[in-house]
Amino acid sequence: MNFMSPDTVYAQASNSRQGLPAWTYNNAELTDLEINNIFLKTWLWAGHVSEISKVGDYQCMELAHERAIIIRGEDGVVRAFHNVCNHRASRVVPDDKGHCRNALVCPFHGWSYHLDGRLKNIPRAETFPAMDKSALGLKPIECEVWHGMIFIRFFGSGPSVAETLKDAEEEISLYKIEHMQPLVEPWTTEFNCDWKSIVDIDSEGYHVPMGHKDLYDLLGRSYYDQVLNDEVSRSYGNIDAGKHKSQLNQDYVNTLPQESYLPATHQREWIYWSAFPGFVITLFPDQIEIYHSYPISFQKSAMAGRSYALTDERPEMKSAREYNRQINIIVGQEDVQLLKWSAEGMRSSAYNGAIMSDLEVGTAAFHNQLRSTVPVALLDVPPPAGTLGQVNQQMVKEN
Ligand code: FES
Ligand SMILES: [Fe+2]
């Protein structure tokens, strides 16, 4: 794999080490634009095949004003649809996840749809004017299953998930993710800050020695970030074989058994692959965790994820998985605090931009991709109120 040098990454930012301008973290029009031009037009992680393993199993996801249902059809195929009834727009399934026996029946007036989205039945159909039933199926959303992970793209076009993550393929395929099962319940954490603040902190390991002392104790100085391109990065840490100050780390290291299907190079590695705008998959030898960060609305964002693993009844594996989970709960709590402090400060008049090191190259690459997707973020000051979308459109044309 060819990774980009910090100089190359920063060169794309005209050698500026300041990061995105402060205003971009605190502008409602930009948040709207990012939702519409980034999140609704790129692949979003939407779960794992094990969560809808049977015909008729479904789960839902929402982003801003859009909502999706992901469902397994009678032919076994996983499909995604807008979770919006063609009659009067109710959601067609009431719950976040569940099972439909052989049809999706809208809870409002009972229109029903086949599991592949086709309209099945309209109650009291004779009271409607003549309609073309074949045009009244649920509106499809692009859906791709890659190594058992389900992704959807509401709108837009471009490379597939497989194409975007092709350099991660060899490594990710080692983990047999498509055969995994959920290990714990899914989690969601909401933040009162711009979504980019979450991705910023999550894209660099410079804060690990200071901000995550126990994680540093586990991985030592081996932790580093590698930028593949502006959209895809990899971070890597090797579990330190020496003594650990943290008892939790020591227990994890002492307990962690060998995984027969992983090569020697991956028995003691913690690896994180991330893809723009906010997708991360972490590969641990004992389990994986998938999560993503996204905007909810202005100054409201979330991070949501879930851990998965292969079935393994060995007691030492069960213990190692639990130690790992506890280690990562602490890391998560530390990030929540650091993120809060940094996001607060970025709204202060005293903040004039960052000063970024070679070790923050992952964050810099994220900023590069953000600027190339929404070029209005190149401006030092925000455009006049009410014009941001227009100004951005103009800049897209000029670039
Ligand atoms: S809104 Fe779905 S049946 Fe009326
Ligand atoms: Fe962190």
Side-chain angles (χ1 to χ4, degrees), residues 4-42:
M4 290 170 82
S5 72
D7 284 349
T8 314
V9 174
Y10 284 112
Q12 285 183 42
S14 310
N15 294 312
S16 164
R17 299 263 177 157
Q18 285 200 303
L20 296 170
W23 73 266
T24 60
Y25 292 85
N26 195 23
N27 185 288
E29 287 178 56
L30 181 61
T31 306
D32 277 350
L33 186 77
E34 288 165 339
I35 288 171
N36 288 306
N37 287 20
I38 298 175
F39 283 87
L40 295 179
K41 289 186 180 168
T42 39

Coordinates of all heavy atoms in Angstrom, one line a residue, residues 4-42:
M4 N 0.3 8.4 1.7 CA 0.7 9.8 1.4 C 1.6 10.3 2.5 O 1.3 10.2 3.7 CB -0.5 10.6 1.2 CG -1.4 10.3 0.0 SD -2.9 11.2 0.0 CE -2.4 12.8 -0.6
S5 N 2.6 11.1 2.1 CA 3.5 11.7 3.1 C 2.7 12.9 3.6 O 1.9 13.5 2.9 CB 4.8 12.2 2.5 OG 4.5 13.3 1.6
P6 N 3.0 13.4 4.9 CA 2.4 14.6 5.4 C 2.6 15.8 4.4 O 1.6 16.5 4.2 CB 3.1 14.8 6.7 CG 3.5 13.4 7.1 CD 3.8 12.7 5.9
D7 N 3.7 15.9 3.8 CA 4.0 17.0 2.9 C 3.0 17.0 1.8 O 2.5 18.0 1.4 CB 5.4 17.0 2.4 CG 6.4 17.4 3.4 OD1 6.0 18.0 4.5 OD2 7.6 17.3 3.2
T8 N 2.7 15.8 1.2 CA 1.8 15.7 0.1 C 0.4 16.1 0.5 O -0.3 16.8 -0.2 CB 1.8 14.3 -0.5 OG1 3.1 13.8 -0.6 CG2 1.1 14.2 -1.8
V9 N 0.0 15.6 1.7 CA -1.3 15.9 2.2 C -1.5 17.4 2.5 O -2.4 18.1 2.0 CB -1.6 15.1 3.5 CG1 -3.0 15.6 4.1 CG2 -1.7 13.6 3.2
Y10 N -0.5 18.0 3.1 CA -0.6 19.4 3.4 C -0.4 20.3 2.2 O -1.0 21.4 2.1 CB 0.4 19.9 4.5 CG 0.0 19.4 5.9 CD1 0.7 18.5 6.6 CD2 -1.2 20.0 6.5 CE1 0.2 18.1 7.9 CE2 -1.6 19.6 7.8 CZ -0.9 18.6 8.4 OH -1.3 18.2 9.7
A11 N 0.3 19.8 1.2 CA 0.4 20.6 -0.1 C -0.9 20.8 -0.7 O -1.2 21.9 -1.3 CB 1.3 19.8 -1.1
Q12 N -1.8 19.9 -0.5 CA -3.2 20.0 -1.1 C -4.0 21.1 -0.3 O -5.0 21.6 -0.8 CB -4.0 18.7 -1.0 CG -3.6 17.7 -2.0 CD -4.4 16.5 -1.9 OE1 -5.6 16.6 -1.7 NE2 -3.8 15.3 -1.9
A13 N -3.5 21.5 0.8 CA -4.1 22.6 1.6 C -3.3 23.8 1.5 O -3.2 24.6 2.4 CB -4.3 22.2 3.0
S14 N -2.6 24.0 0.3 CA -1.7 25.1 0.1 C -0.7 25.3 1.2 O -0.3 26.4 1.6 CB -2.5 26.4 -0.1 OG -3.5 26.3 -1.0
N15 N -0.2 24.1 1.7 CA 0.7 24.0 2.8 C 0.3 24.7 4.1 O 1.1 25.0 4.9 CB 2.1 24.6 2.3 CG 2.7 23.7 1.3 OD1 2.8 22.5 1.5 ND2 3.1 24.3 0.2
S16 N -1.0 25.0 4.2 CA -1.5 25.5 5.4 C -1.7 24.4 6.5 O -2.1 23.3 6.1 CB -2.9 26.2 5.2 OG -3.5 26.4 6.4
R17 N -1.3 24.7 7.7 CA -1.5 23.8 8.8 C -2.6 24.2 9.7 O -2.7 23.8 10.8 CB -0.2 23.7 9.6 CG 1.0 23.2 8.7 CD 1.2 21.7 8.9 NE 2.3 21.2 8.1 CZ 3.0 20.1 8.4 NH1 2.7 19.4 9.5 NH2 3.9 19.6 7.6
Q18 N -3.4 25.1 9.2 CA -4.4 25.7 10.1 C -5.7 24.9 10.2 O -6.6 25.2 11.0 CB -4.8 27.1 9.6 CG -3.7 28.1 10.0 CD -4.3 29.5 9.9 OE1 -4.8 29.9 8.9 NE2 -4.1 30.2 11.0
G19 N -5.9 23.9 9.3 CA -7.2 23.2 9.3 C -8.3 24.0 8.7 O -8.1 25.1 8.2
L20 N -9.5 23.5 8.9 CA -10.6 24.2 8.4 C -10.9 25.5 9.2 O -10.6 25.5 10.4 CB -11.9 23.4 8.5 CG -11.9 22.1 7.6 CD1 -13.1 21.2 8.0 CD2 -12.0 22.4 6.1
P21 N -11.3 26.6 8.5 CA -11.6 27.8 9.3 C -12.6 27.6 10.4 O -13.6 26.8 10.2 CB -12.1 28.8 8.2 CG -12.3 28.1 7.0 CD -11.6 26.7 7.1
A22 N -12.5 28.4 11.5 CA -13.4 28.2 12.6 C -14.9 28.3 12.3 O -15.7 27.5 12.8 CB -13.0 29.2 13.7
W23 N -15.2 29.2 11.3 CA -16.6 29.4 11.0 C -17.3 28.1 10.5 O -18.5 27.9 10.7 CB -16.8 30.5 10.0 CG -16.4 30.3 8.6 CD1 -15.2 30.5 8.0 CD2 -17.2 29.6 7.6 NE1 -15.2 30.1 6.7 CE2 -16.4 29.6 6.4 CE3 -18.5 29.2 7.5 CZ2 -16.9 29.0 5.2 CZ3 -19.0 28.6 6.3 CH2 -18.2 28.5 5.2
T24 N -16.5 27.2 9.9 CA -17.1 26.0 9.3 C -17.6 25.1 10.3 O -18.3 24.1 10.0 CB -16.1 25.3 8.3 OG1 -15.0 24.9 9.1 CG2 -15.6 26.2 7.2
Y25 N -17.2 25.3 11.6 CA -17.7 24.4 12.6 C -19.0 25.0 13.3 O -19.4 24.4 14.3 CB -16.6 24.2 13.7 CG -15.4 23.4 13.2 CD1 -14.4 24.0 12.5 CD2 -15.4 22.0 13.4 CE1 -13.3 23.3 12.0 CE2 -14.3 21.3 12.9 CZ -13.3 21.9 12.2 OH -12.3 21.2 11.7
N26 N -19.4 26.1 12.8 CA -20.5 26.8 13.5 C -21.3 27.6 12.5 O -21.5 28.8 12.7 CB -19.8 27.8 14.5 CG -20.8 28.3 15.6 OD1 -21.9 27.6 15.8 ND2 -20.5 29.4 16.2
N27 N -21.9 26.9 11.5 CA -22.6 27.6 10.5 C -23.8 26.7 10.0 O -23.5 25.7 9.5 CB -21.7 28.0 9.3 CG -22.4 28.8 8.3 OD1 -23.3 28.3 7.5 ND2 -22.1 30.1 8.2
A28 N -25.0 27.1 10.4 CA -26.2 26.3 10.1 C -26.3 26.0 8.6 O -26.7 24.9 8.2 CB -27.4 26.9 10.7
E29 N -26.0 27.0 7.8 CA -26.2 26.8 6.3 C -25.2 25.7 5.8 O -25.5 24.9 4.9 CB -26.0 28.1 5.6 CG -27.2 29.1 5.7 CD -26.9 30.4 5.0 OE1 -26.6 30.3 3.7 OE2 -26.9 31.4 5.6
L30 N -24.0 25.8 6.4 CA -23.0 24.8 6.0 C -23.4 23.4 6.4 O -23.3 22.4 5.7 CB -21.6 25.1 6.5 CG -20.5 24.2 6.1 CD1 -20.4 24.1 4.5 CD2 -19.2 24.5 6.7
T31 N -24.0 23.3 7.6 CA -24.4 22.0 8.1 C -25.5 21.4 7.1 O -25.4 20.2 6.7 CB -25.0 22.0 9.5 OG1 -24.1 22.7 10.4 CG2 -25.4 20.7 10.0
D32 N -26.4 22.2 6.7 CA -27.4 21.8 5.7 C -26.8 21.3 4.4 O -27.2 20.3 3.9 CB -28.4 22.9 5.4 CG -29.5 23.1 6.5 OD1 -29.6 22.2 7.3 OD2 -30.2 24.1 6.4
L33 N -25.8 22.1 4.0 CA -25.2 21.8 2.7 C -24.4 20.4 2.9 O -24.4 19.6 2.0 CB -24.2 22.9 2.3 CG -23.5 22.7 1.0 CD1 -24.5 23.1 -0.1 CD2 -22.3 23.6 0.9
E34 N -23.7 20.3 4.0 CA -23.0 19.0 4.2 C -23.9 17.8 4.3 O -23.6 16.8 3.7 CB -22.2 19.1 5.5 CG -21.0 20.1 5.4 CD -20.4 20.5 6.7 OE1 -21.1 20.4 7.8 OE2 -19.2 20.9 6.7
I35 N -25.1 18.0 4.9 CA -26.0 16.9 4.9 C -26.5 16.6 3.5 O -26.4 15.4 3.1 CB -27.3 17.3 5.8 CG1 -26.9 17.3 7.3 CG2 -28.4 16.3 5.5 CD1 -27.9 17.8 8.2
N36 N -26.8 17.6 2.7 CA -27.3 17.3 1.4 C -26.3 16.9 0.4 O -26.5 16.0 -0.4 CB -28.1 18.5 0.9 CG -29.4 18.7 1.6 OD1 -30.2 17.8 1.7 ND2 -29.6 19.8 2.2
N37 N -25.1 17.6 0.4 CA -24.1 17.3 -0.6 C -23.1 16.2 -0.2 O -22.4 15.7 -1.1 CB -23.3 18.6 -0.9 CG -24.2 19.6 -1.7 OD1 -25.4 19.5 -1.7 ND2 -23.5 20.5 -2.4
I38 N -23.0 15.9 1.1 CA -22.0 14.9 1.5 C -22.8 13.7 1.9 O -22.8 12.6 1.3 CB -21.1 15.4 2.6 CG1 -20.2 16.6 2.1 CG2 -20.2 14.2 3.0 CD1 -19.3 17.2 3.1
F39 N -23.5 13.8 3.1 CA -24.1 12.6 3.7 C -25.1 11.9 2.9 O -25.2 10.7 2.9 CB -24.5 12.9 5.1 CG -23.4 13.0 6.1 CD1 -22.7 14.2 6.2 CD2 -22.9 11.9 6.7 CE1 -21.6 14.3 7.1 CE2 -21.8 11.9 7.6 CZ -21.2 13.1 7.7
L40 N -26.0 12.7 2.2 CA -27.0 12.0 1.4 C -26.5 11.6 0.1 O -27.3 10.9 -0.7 CB -28.2 13.0 1.3 CG -28.9 13.3 2.6 CD1 -30.1 14.3 2.4 CD2 -29.4 12.0 3.3
K41 N -25.3 11.9 -0.2 CA -24.7 11.5 -1.5 C -23.5 10.6 -1.5 O -22.8 10.3 -2.4 CB -24.3 12.7 -2.3 CG -25.6 13.5 -2.8 CD -25.1 14.7 -3.7 CE -26.3 15.5 -4.2 NZ -25.9 16.7 -4.8
T42 N -23.2 10.1 -0.2 CA -22.1 9.1 -0.1 C -22.7 7.9 0.6 O -23.7 7.9 1.2 CB -20.9 9.6 0.7 OG1 -21.4 10.4 1.8 CG2 -20.0 10.5 -0.1

